Every structure is written in C-alpha cells, then in structure tokens.
C-alpha cells in the first residue's frame, strides 16, 4: 500500500506536524510521498532528508528561524528569506529534490500570474521551500528562474491534489484550522486575520479528500508566529495522531 502524507501550512504550529511524524514513526507507518505547503514543506523536506522529528525540532529551536530572517526594506515585503534559504542548505546540502529519501512536493504561489505551482524536482529545493513559506506582505517574494513566488498556502494549504492519483491511502495533517479568535488591533492584524480565515476555509473544504485526517485539537490557541509553545504543539500533534491512528488501525491490516 502506497501512503501519501500532506502537511499544511501554519507557521510555528508546524511543530504539531513533528509530533504527528513521531507518532507515525513509532507506529512504523512510513509515507511514500509527502506534499506540503509553507511550514509543512519545511518540515516535510527535513524529514524526507532523513532527520527525525526530534532532530528537526532541535534544529529549528537551536537556529531560530526568526533569528535568520533578514530585513529587506523593499516595496514587496519587509523581510527577506535569504538567510532561511542558507539555513536549509546547511542541513540539506545537496539542495536537490532527487536526493531526498522520500519524494517531496512543495506548493507555491506564482504571484504575478496568480497561479499555483508545485515543485518536485530539480536543484532548487531550498528556494522552493522558502518561497512556499513567504507570507505575502511580510516576506519579499522568492525569485526562481525569473518568476516571483510566495506562500503556497495562499492557494492550496492542503496540497493533496498532486499526489492523490499516485497513492492508495491519503493522510492529511492540518495545523491551521479556521482562525476566528485572532485579536485585531491594527490594519496589519485585519489583513493577517483575513488571510488566515481564507486559508482555514479552503483547508476545511479539503477534509473529504483524505482517508485519515489529523487535526490537533485546540492548536488554534497557539500563536503561529511564536516558538514559545513549541513543545506543547509537538506533544499535541503526537497525542492527536496516536488517538486518530488507533481509530484507523483497520486501514493498515
């Protein structure tokens, strides 16, 4: 049986993905292909490269992704992802989709054409991941072969479509449910909450496409832009996955 794993975007809530991956490892459930958007693409890439969930957690907490964001001060975004790209290359030096242990699909949005673009081959792995993580208006678009790419979650936060015809069982992990309680204190907050609500809605519409859907309960209460509660999100993902997989055990018999 060929298993496809889809990891949503969600900022630092991606630590929930790591908890889910730990649970799958313990249950000896190995994905044959992974598709991810934004934080899901970063977690998926490091896992596909052979790092364990605990090692990925340590990498992110030790290096501090936020500490590797570079001020850009240009009209396309406040921050640049250049340092994050170099960080990814440090841990995946081959920088190639083909060198990964597990095939990976990265969802991005080509902003000038307004099109969804999937990367799954080539020696541009780090750029594809940083593009998928580039939140619009916050991060400058990432240029790949002359085209401008931003967060893949804008158009597809649960990118199941590129793998659904290639697998027998589809497992989805959504760490970005619909955002309703995010406080609004500024124009920036209004823009961000509108984006988060829209992404949450389009993610919810994908639920029926999965054979197994893992959505860590109450993960919405954690700030997706902070690493403060990383371990709690990790643990929540783990416990939710263990419970969900026990209910779905018959699918693996």
């Amino acid at each position: 049986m060929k298993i496809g794993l889809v990891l949503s975007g969600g900022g630092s809530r991606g630590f929930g993905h790591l908890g889910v991956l730990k649970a799958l490892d313990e249950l000896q459930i190995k994905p044959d292909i992974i598709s991810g958007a934004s934080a899901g693409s970063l977690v998926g890439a490091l896992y596909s490269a052979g790092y364990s969930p605990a090692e990925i957690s340590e990498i992110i907490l030790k290096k501090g992704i936020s500490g590797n964001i570079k001020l850009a001060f240009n009209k396309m975004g406040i921050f640049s992802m250049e340092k994050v790209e170099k960080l990814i290359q440090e841990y995946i030096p081959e920088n190639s989709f083909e060198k990964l242990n597990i095939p990976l699909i990265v969802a991005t949005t080509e902003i000038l054409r307004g099109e969804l673009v999937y990367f799954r081959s080539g020696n541009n792995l780090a750029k594809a991941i940083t593009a998928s993580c580039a939140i619009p208006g916050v991060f400058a678009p990432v240029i790949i072969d002359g085209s401008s790419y931003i967060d893949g979650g804008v158009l597809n936060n649960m990118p199941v479509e590129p793998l659904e015809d290639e697998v027998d069982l589809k497992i989805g992990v959504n760490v970005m449910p619909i955002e309703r309680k995010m406080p609004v204190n500024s124009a920036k907050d209004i823009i961000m909450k509108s984006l988060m609500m829209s992404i949450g809605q389009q993610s919810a519409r994908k639920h029926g496409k999965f054979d197994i859907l893992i959505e860590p309960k109450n993960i919405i209460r954690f700030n997706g832009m902070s690493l403060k509660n990383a371990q709690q999100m990790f643990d929540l993902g783990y416990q939710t996955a263990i419970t969900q997989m026990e209910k779905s055990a018959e699918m693996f018999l």
Side-chain angles (χ1 to χ4, degrees):
M1 179 170 60
K2 193 171 183 180
I3 299 172
L5 177 65
V6 178
L7 304 175
S8 77
S12 61
R13 292 176 189 148
F15 276 88
H17 289 321
L18 295 175
V20 171
L21 287 169
K22 178 186 177 183
L24 295 181
D25 281 351
E26 290 182 0
L27 295 168
Q28 298 184 331
I29 298 171
K30 291 290 186 181
D32 295 284
I33 184 170
I34 297 174
S35 180
S38 199
S41 72
L42 175 61
V43 169
L46 289 167
Y47 184 75
S48 296
Y51 294 99
S52 71
E55 287 171 333
I56 298 169
S57 178
E58 184 179 353
I59 289 168
I60 296 173
L61 291 174
K62 178 182 175 183
K63 292 291 183 176
I65 293 296
S66 60
N68 282 278
I69 291 170
K70 177 182 175 184
L71 286 173
F73 291 121
N74 64 50
K75 63 181 180 180
M76 302 299 283
I78 302 170
F79 300 105
S80 165
M81 299 288 277
E82 286 179 20
K83 289 188 176 181
V84 176
E85 181 183 339
K86 290 178 180 177
L87 179 64
I88 295 167
Q89 289 177 331
E90 177 183 346
Y91 287 93
I92 312 177
E94 297 86 358
N95 196 31
S96 167
F97 281 86
E98 285 76 12
K99 295 293 184 181
L100 296 172
N101 299 329
I102 302 170
L104 176 71
I105 300 168
V106 174
T108 67
T109 301
E110 206 294 326
I111 190 59
L112 299 182
R113 298 193 305 272
E115 293 179 358
L116 182 64
V117 176
Y118 299 111
F119 288 90
R120 60 188 304 171
S121 63
N123 297 316
N124 55 4
L125 178 64
K127 276 194 176 296
I129 295 166
T130 52
S132 188
C133 294
I135 300 170
V138 178
F139 297 107
V142 175
I143 308 300
I144 303 176
D145 296 330
S147 296
S148 301
Y149 297 90
I150 62 166
D151 194 334
V154 171
L155 292 181
N156 194 351
N157 201 47
M158 292 284 285
V160 63
E161 291 81 4
L163 61 67
E164 61 184 341
D165 293 331
E166 302 178 25
V167 300
D168 305 301
L169 183 76
K170 300 179 291 294
I171 301 174
V173 187
N174 183 25
V175 296
M176 196 170 175
I178 298 171
E179 186 80 69
R180 301 190 191 280
K181 296 182 180 180
M182 179 179 171
V184 174
N185 299 307
S186 66
K188 178 180 75 68
D189 289 345
I190 292 173
I191 294 171
M192 288 301 296
K193 184 169 184 178
S194 298
L195 177 63
M196 296 303 105
M197 288 192 298
S198 176
I199 291 174
Q201 290 280 5
Q202 51 110 327
S203 295
R205 290 194 291 270
K206 298 288 185 71
H207 287 186
K209 288 181 171 284
F210 295 98
D211 300 294
I212 300 172
L213 178 69
I214 301 170
E215 193 172 80
K217 187 177 180 181
N218 295 326
I219 199 165
I220 196 71
R221 73 179 189 268
F222 296 113
N223 183 351
M225 301 299 285
S226 169
L227 297 177
K228 180 180 177 182
N229 297 301
Q231 188 60 50
Q232 289 173 270
M233 290 185 280
F234 187 108
D235 294 342
L236 184 60
Y238 174 80
Q239 294 296 338
T240 305
I242 290 292
T243 301
Q244 184 65 52
M245 298 312 291
E246 285 177 351
K247 293 178 181 177
S248 306
E250 70 279 358
M251 292 186 179
F252 299 93
L253 297 177

